[in-house]
Amino acid sequence: LDWRDGVWHITALTWRGDHLLACRIEEASRGNDGDVGKAEAAAEDEVWTDIDDRQEASEISQEWLDIAKDERVLSLALRPGCLGAPAEAGDGGGADRASRRRGCAVVGTSTGRIVQLQRALNDEHRLVPKQVVHQRPHPAGRGSLCTLHDRYLLALWSTLGILSAFDGRDGSLVKEWRLRPDVEWSMIGSGGGDVLLLLGALPGKPAELFRLQAPSELRAPESR
């Protein structure tokens, strides 16, 4: 989920881990100041409208997965502007186009591999491996990856209670942190700026959302 230019850009990984679906939606207009009744009705029930004529589907190549180990893609992290319809010449979409080319999608698998993907040269709608960022014997479960500041890739290893940070430019390990051992951590996401959102559950309690400041090594320069 990415908010850019007044529009929500939503990307979903299919349950089988073989496709990405992307679409854009914007909040419907609530009317002008003189139409108070309609505005109040809209306030009670948010109305959203799809502004794409279609969803964009991107296929994740499966040839690189280890069939003998039943390896499957489980989690996904995207850099801003990673997916979307290819920009037309002269439309100012060069940055997004370059982002899609340079390997801006990262996936985690059931065998513990974190792999950076890029667009296939002969097919804009097919994602192929670019490099293996990291390998662990533990699965990179659903919701275990996110990006921060369009530079860092964060990986949550739920079974270990460890958070790893990688440099998105070269895949190098920045640092690892051990999380609170009394919480069963399950998902991670970026909350904007230097904020991280982690889903976890204390013993005998329902899951709750923890809002944490990113470690100092990962914060934007002006926040350090």
Side-chain angles (χ1 to χ4, degrees), residues 13-137:
L13 174 67
T14 59
W15 185 257
R16 293 184 298 178
D18 56 0
H19 282 83
L20 298 181
L21 298 177
C23 68
R24 301 180 301 153
I25 59 174
E26 66 179 358
E27 188 175 3
S29 174
R30 294 186 178 185
N32 54 42
D33 294 337
D35 200 349
V36 178
K38 290 184 178 179
E40 291 178 347
E44 295 175 359
D45 185 15
E46 292 284 349
V47 179
W48 300 86
T49 178
D50 190 340
I51 61 175
D52 277 340
D53 293 332
R54 59 176 176 79
Q55 291 180 328
E56 182 195 4
S58 298
E59 178 188 2
I60 300 176
S61 65
Q62 304 288 290
E63 293 84 355
W64 55 277
L65 297 171
D66 190 337
I67 299 177
K69 296 181 180 179
D70 192 26
E71 186 177 21
R72 293 167 290 115
V73 172
L74 296 180
S75 54
L76 166 73
L78 299 175
R79 297 174 70 172
C82 185
L83 297 181
E88 299 295 336
D91 68 352
D96 276 0
R97 187 163 57 247
S99 178
R100 294 195 296 272
R101 289 292 190 189
R102 69 173 178 251
C104 58
V106 181
V107 295
T109 78
S110 56
T111 63
R113 284 201 290 176
I114 298 178
V115 180
Q116 189 176 27
L117 304 179
Q118 64 183 0
R119 296 283 190 180
L121 291 177
N122 59 349
D123 188 349
E124 277 284 333
H125 298 283
R126 183 174 172 82
L127 297 169
V128 298
K130 179 180 181 182
Q131 66 174 341
V132 176
V133 177
H134 193 64
Q135 170 74 68
R136 263 206 169 101

Side-chain angles (χ1 to χ4, degrees), residues 172-209:
S172 61
L173 179 66
V174 177
K175 195 172 181 179
E176 292 188 318
W177 298 266
R178 189 171 298 280
L179 301 173
R180 282 178 52 179
D182 60 328
V183 178
E184 184 177 347
W185 303 103
S186 55
M187 291 185 178
I188 186 171
S190 173
D194 294 319
V195 175
L196 295 176
L197 302 176
L198 283 86
L199 188 66
L202 291 164
K205 295 186 177 180
E208 58 182 298
L209 198 60

